[in-house]
Amino acid sequence: MYLTPDLLGKILHRQQVLTAEQVKLIQQEARSMPRHLRSAKAYEQRSVAYELIESLGLRMEANGGSLVEEQTIANSIASDAGLPRIRIDPLQLDADLIENKISRPFARRHRMIPIEVIDGKLKVACANPFNIDGIDSYKRIAGQELEVVVASEPEILRALTEFYGLRRSVMKAEKDLTSGVDLGNLEQLVRLKNESEIESSDQHIVNAVEYMLQHAYDSRASDIHIEPKRDASLVRFRIDGVLHDIQSIPMVVHRAIISRIKTMSRLDIAERRRPQDGRIKTVRKDREIELRVSTLPVAFGEKVVMRIFDPGVLLQDLTGLGFYPEELKLFDDFIHRPHGIILVTGPTGSGKTTTLYSALKSITQSEVNVTTIEDPIEMVHEPFNQTAIDPKVGISFAVALRHILRQDPDIIMVGEIRDQETAQYAIQAALTGHLVFSTLHTNDAPTAISRLDDLGIERFLIASTLIGTMAQRLVRRICPHCTQERFLEPEEVEALRLSVPPGKRIKVQEGEGCFECRQTGYLGRAGIFEVLAIDEKIKEMIIEGADAPLLKREAGRGGMKTLRQSALRKLADGVTTYSEVIRVTAF
C-alpha cells in the first residue's frame, strides 16, 4: 500500500535513474531509520520514501548528473507504470467533488485525490499506481470507472492538507457559526502550529486563519487581501506583484476571521467604523515572519490587508536585488561614504524598503549606531534602533529626527522625506557628519533634486550634502521552467523606440505558463535601477539651477542608465519580458 524506500529505489533503478549501488545505499539508510519513522503512522502522515531519497542528495546517471528530486521521482513512477503524470494545483481542485467522492482517512491512507470527471470517468491522481487493492477499493466506493494518473506523494499530501485545512476549517466554522457556537474567545497567537497541532484543534476559525497564513508563506505572497463582497468574502494573495483569487468564504465566517486577525494584531474588535493598523509576529520553521495589518470599512464590511515581511526577502544581500555589477559598485560606494544623503525614489511597491534595509544590513557593525524612523516600522531587526512616527502624540518624521540627532547616531534612515522640516533636519544631519538614507516619491533619479528644491532646500546645500539618488522599479522574472523564445513584432520594436537594421529581428524570451508559475509565465521579481552619482559637474548644475531634464541628459553623458535602459537590458538578457518593460517603465 505504501511507497517504501525499497520499492521507490527499485523503480528508479528500472528507469535507469539510479545505479544498483545507489539503491543499496537507499536500502541501508531505510533499515537504519528510527523505528518511529518506519511505522504505519509515519508512512500515513509523511512522504517517508521521497524524504529519504531527497535527503541523500543522489545524482542521476544521465541528464548531466542532476539531483534526484521530487519531480524526477514522480516522473519515474509514472513512466514505470505507463500512466500519465500530472501536477496538482490545490487552488484548482473541485471542493464538491472531493467532499462527495472520497473520505479524508481513505485519501491519506491510499494517497489518492479525485481531480475531475470526464465523459463519465473519474480522474484520480495517486502516488502509488502499484497499489492495486487501494485502486480497486476506491473504484467500488466511487461507483464509476476510474482514470488513474500519477502525482508526486508530497504534492498529494499538500493538496489534501490545503483542502482539509483552510477549506474544511471554513466549512466547519460556517456550520458552527450558523448553529450558535461562540468562537469569540480566541487566544493570542504566539507561533504558527504545525499540521498535526492544527488538526487536533476544534477552533475552526483559528485553524482557517493559520492555514491561510501558511498557504500565503508557501506561495511567496507579499500581501493577503480579505475583501467582503455582497454575498461572500474573497481571499486574494499578491504574488510577484499580481493579485490571485484564492478562496471564497461565507460572510458569517468572514466576520469571525476578521475578529481573529484583529485579536492576533491587538486591535479593537468592537471598532468596525474606523480604519485600524496593527502587526503580528509569527514563528514558522524557526523563522520569524512579521505581518502588518490594516483594516478598512468598505461597503459590505471590514476589509483586511496583511503585508508580509519575510526577513529572507527584506534583508537580502545587495547582490540578490538585481543590480548589474557597475550599478552595485556605484551604490556600494554611496553607502560606504562617511556622511551625506542617499535618496531612493519610486512609487509604493517598487522595492525601496527592501533596498534600504538590505543596504543598512550590509554596513551595520557593532561600532556604529544605526537608527531608523519609519511609518510604521516595517520589520523589527534587532541590530537597528527603530522608532515609529505617531502623529496622534505629535511625533512626526521631523520631530523624531530632531530628537534622534541627540542620540549620537552614525547612520540614520528616514522612512520618507515628506515636508520641508524633515528635509531641513536631514540636510542638517548630513552636514554634521551623519550618513542619512531616505526615500522620495519621484519617477526618476534626477527629479529627486527638483523635489528637494520644491521643499525649500537651498541648492548649494543639496549640492554639498547629496551623495547620490537612485530610482528603482520591480519587474517580474520570466519563469525558468517554461521559458520560450519569440521575435518582437514591428509595432513592439517601435513602442520600445529601438532601431533595427533592415531584415533583422529582435529575439526575446517569455514564459509560456506552467504549474510552477501558476500559468503566469513569471516567477519572482528583480529590480531595475537608475543610479545618479552627484559628481562635480552635476553639483555645478544643481547650484546653477538646472532642472531635472538637463540633469538627466548630463548624467546620461556621464554613463547613467535610465530605468528604461535598465529594463531593456533585462529584456535582452532574458530576465523579463516586453510587456513587463512597457508596464513598468511607461511614464
Side-chain angles (χ1 to χ4, degrees):
M1 176 180 12
Y2 298 119
L3 272 175
T4 65
D6 183 59
L7 172 60
L8 215 47
K10 290 176 180 177
I11 291 172
L12 292 169
H13 182 50
R14 284 200 297 268
Q15 293 300 311
Q16 299 181 339
V17 173
L18 297 180
T19 64
E21 290 74 19
Q22 289 172 318
V23 173
K24 286 180 183 177
L25 175 62
I26 292 171
Q27 293 167 342
Q28 290 170 3
E29 291 293 328
R31 286 194 293 270
S32 64
M33 284 194 307
R35 185 183 297 274
H36 72 276
L37 290 179
R38 289 181 277 146
S39 66
K41 183 178 180 181
Y43 273 99
E44 194 163 317
Q45 292 181 344
R46 301 172 57 175
S47 307
V48 175
Y50 272 80
E51 290 175 13
L52 174 64
I53 292 174
E54 288 189 271
S55 71
L56 293 175
L58 301 173
R59 296 192 174 272
M60 300 172 62
E61 288 186 280
N63 291 343
S66 56
L67 282 171
V68 177
E69 299 176 314
E70 177 185 331
Q71 304 311 323
T72 312
I73 297 170
N75 288 335
S76 299
I77 294 172
S79 179
D80 202 61
L83 294 172
R85 154 94 162 94
I86 69 163
R87 301 291 303 274
I88 299 176
D89 183 349
L91 303 181
Q92 302 302 319
L93 293 175
D94 187 330
D96 293 331
L97 181 67
I98 298 173
E99 187 75 14
N100 296 329
K101 290 293 185 181
I102 198 165
S103 70
R104 180 178 194 172
F106 189 94
R108 288 193 73 94
R109 187 177 308 115
H110 294 285
R111 302 294 198 263
M112 295 181 186
I113 190 166
I115 304 298
E116 59 183 339
V117 177
I118 302 177
D119 298 330
K121 281 189 175 182
L122 179 62
K123 180 186 282 190
V124 181
C126 71
N128 182 7
F130 304 104
N131 178 16
I132 304 301
D133 291 341
I135 293 172
D136 288 343
S137 296
Y138 186 52
K139 183 177 178 181
R140 289 193 298 272
I141 293 168
Q144 63 188 119
E145 288 293 316
L146 302 184
E147 178 188 345
V148 178
V149 295
V150 175
S152 82
E153 187 175 27
E155 225 168 64
I156 289 177
L157 287 179
R158 286 193 293 268
L160 291 172
T161 297
E162 164 62 18
F163 173 74
Y164 289 106
L166 175 58
R167 298 187 188 196
R168 176 60 66 88
S169 295
V170 168
M171 287 188 288
K172 286 185 176 180
E174 181 184 21
K175 183 178 178 181
D176 287 349
L177 288 167
T178 52
S179 39
V181 175
D182 180 15
L183 292 179
N185 184 19
L186 304 174
E187 80 285 357
Q188 179 71 29
L189 177 71
V190 176
R191 65 178 180 84
L192 290 186
K193 306 170 188 174
N194 59 40
E195 181 186 333
S196 61
E197 288 175 316
I198 292 175
E199 291 171 357
S200 67
S201 169
D202 61 356
Q203 298 183 70
H204 304 307
I205 291 297
V206 176
N207 294 355
V209 172
E210 294 197 8
Y211 274 117
M212 179 173 65
L213 294 181
Q214 290 178 339
H215 189 29
Y217 298 160
D218 290 339
S219 302
R220 301 178 297 104
S222 61
D223 301 85
I224 303 170
H225 291 237
I226 307 173
E227 305 172 354
K229 306 298 182 185
R230 188 181 300 278
D231 301 315
S233 180
L234 183 63
V235 178
R236 302 200 289 171
F237 293 169
R238 187 177 296 280
I239 304 170
D240 295 335
V242 177
L243 283 170
H244 297 262
D245 292 351
I246 301 298
Q247 175 76 28
S248 178
I249 58 179
M251 283 304 294
V252 66
V253 180
H254 169 85
R255 288 187 287 272
I257 285 178
I258 298 304
S259 292
R260 169 60 177 163
I261 292 169
K262 289 167 85 172
T263 300
M264 292 164 64
S265 50
R266 298 179 182 176
L267 300 179
D268 185 351
I269 295 176
E271 180 56 74
R272 297 192 177 100
R273 296 170 299 176
R274 63 180 178 86
Q276 297 185 71
D277 293 304
R279 60 193 315 118
I280 303 169
K281 175 174 281 191
T282 65
V283 177
R284 182 172 186 264
K285 296 181 179 177
D286 299 324
R287 187 175 63 183
E288 290 186 354
I289 298 177
E290 292 194 28
L291 300 99
R292 197 173 75 207
V293 180
S294 172
T295 71
L296 179 71
V298 293
F300 300 109
E302 277 188 288
K303 177 186 175 184
V304 167
V305 174
M306 292 185 282
R307 173 153 287 188
I308 299 169
F309 293 104
D310 186 340
V313 175
L314 209 57
L315 291 164
Q316 297 186 47
D317 188 281
L318 287 174
T319 56
L321 299 182
F323 284 105
Y324 282 109
E326 64 276 13
E327 295 170 338
L328 179 59
K329 184 176 183 298
L330 196 54
F331 187 65
D332 194 58
D333 175 62
F334 290 176
I335 66 177
H336 283 91
R337 299 281 185 92
H339 54 80
I341 298 178
I342 300 164
L343 295 175
V344 180
T345 78
T348 301
S350 59
K352 299 189 299 295
T353 301
T354 299
T355 298
L356 288 176
Y357 269 56
S358 299
L360 290 176
K361 177 191 172 189
S362 71
I363 60 176
T364 298
Q365 301 174 9
S366 59
E367 295 86 2
V368 297
N369 174 9
V370 177
T371 305
T372 73
I373 311 168
E374 304 175 59
D375 179 27
I377 295 172
E378 304 281 21
M379 188 191 71
V380 177
H381 184 55
E382 191 172 339
F384 306 160
N385 298 294
Q386 297 168 276
T387 185
I389 72 166
D390 189 349
K392 289 183 291 186
V393 294
I395 301 176
S396 63
F397 277 116
V399 170
L401 183 52
R402 185 172 72 239
H403 286 282
I404 280 172
L405 289 174
R406 303 169 190 161
Q407 290 278 315
D408 188 31
D410 297 293
I411 300 169
I412 303 169
M413 193 269 274
V414 182
E416 184 184 346
I417 294 177
R418 298 175 178 172
D419 51 46
Q420 182 181 25
E421 191 179 9
T422 306
Q424 286 174 336
Y425 278 121
I427 292 288
Q428 186 63 36
L431 287 171
T432 53
H434 303 89
L435 183 63
V436 181
F437 293 82
S438 192
T439 70
L440 285 172
H441 288 289
T442 63
N443 281 336
D444 57 20
T447 308
I449 297 165
S450 300
R451 176 65 177 147
L452 290 177
D453 185 33
D454 293 341
L455 288 172
I457 304 302
E458 297 287 348
R459 281 186 166 258
F460 76 91
L461 291 176
I462 297 173
S464 60
T465 57
L466 192 60
I467 297 170
T469 67
M470 182 174 77
Q472 70 174 77
R473 299 290 189 278
L474 292 174
V475 293
R476 289 184 288 174
R477 290 179 180 271
I478 298 170
C479 174
H481 304 282
C482 60
T483 183
Q484 59 181 11
E485 294 181 339
R486 75 173 182 91
F487 291 101
L488 288 180
E489 299 296 333
E491 58 271 20
E492 293 174 331
V493 173
E494 185 178 347
L496 293 175
R497 299 174 187 171
L498 299 176
S499 57
V500 182
K504 298 291 184 179
R505 303 179 70 187
I506 298 176
K507 185 184 290 185
V508 296
Q509 293 183 322
E510 62 182 23
E512 184 178 15
C514 66
F515 179 88
E516 298 292 344
C517 62
R518 302 182 54 77
Q519 307 303 321
T520 64
Y522 300 100
L523 192 63
R525 290 188 289 179
I528 56 171
F529 305 94
E530 179 178 293
V531 188
L532 170 60
I534 309 300
D535 58 21
E536 292 304 319
K537 179 62 177 175
I538 297 294
K539 285 182 181 181
E540 289 177 14
M541 294 180 67
I542 292 172
I543 294 171
E544 291 168 0
D547 60 11
L550 279 174
L551 291 170
K552 192 165 191 170
R553 281 197 290 274
E554 176 58 33
R557 285 193 285 269
M560 184 191 81
K561 303 299 181 187
T562 65
L563 285 169
R564 170 58 68 87
Q565 290 170 328
S566 180
L568 287 173
R569 188 171 174 184
K570 288 277 196 295
L571 175 66
D573 290 344
V575 174
T576 194
T577 63
Y578 162 81
S579 58
E580 277 294 280
V581 172
I582 294 296
R583 181 182 72 86
V584 173
T585 64
F587 53 83

